[in-house]
Amino acid sequence: NRLYAILRRLCWVQRNNEPYQCKIHQGLLDVKIYEYENPYSGEFQIKRTTIVTAKGLSKLHSEIQKLQQRDLH
């Protein structure tokens, strides 16, 4: 996914796409955790989804513009 590639390049998320704690504390990212039942095994599993907050979206926009300017030069 291109978004996660950018977030990894900016050091916002780790290789497994989980956000760094400092980015959560800054209010840029959040994690949605939910439990679901695996339809094949019947076991309950936990899924984590990284979410970019409104504050994070604003900051991400400016960071992407900086990356594009650096790549042009």
Side-chain angles (χ1 to χ4, degrees), residues 5-69:
I6 292 169
L7 292 175
R8 282 191 295 274
R9 185 173 173 190
L10 294 171
C11 297
W12 284 27
V13 296
Q14 303 169 43
R15 276 194 266 156
N16 61 357
N17 296 334
E18 288 192 24
Y20 287 105
Q21 191 66 42
C22 62
K23 299 303 177 187
I24 293 173
H25 286 307
Q26 291 173 7
L28 304 176
L29 299 174
D30 200 3
V31 178
K32 179 180 176 184
I33 299 174
Y34 58 94
E35 190 176 28
Y36 68 97
E37 185 177 357
N38 184 319
Y40 300 106
S41 67
E43 295 179 358
F44 283 94
Q45 297 181 333
I46 295 175
K47 179 154 175 74
R48 294 173 185 87
T49 304
T50 299
I51 298 170
V52 180
T53 64
K55 180 180 177 181
L57 193 57
S58 175
K59 175 84 170 170
L60 184 60
H61 181 262
S62 65
E63 292 292 326
I64 289 174
Q65 285 181 334
K66 289 178 190 175
L67 282 177
Q68 288 174 340
Q69 289 175 357

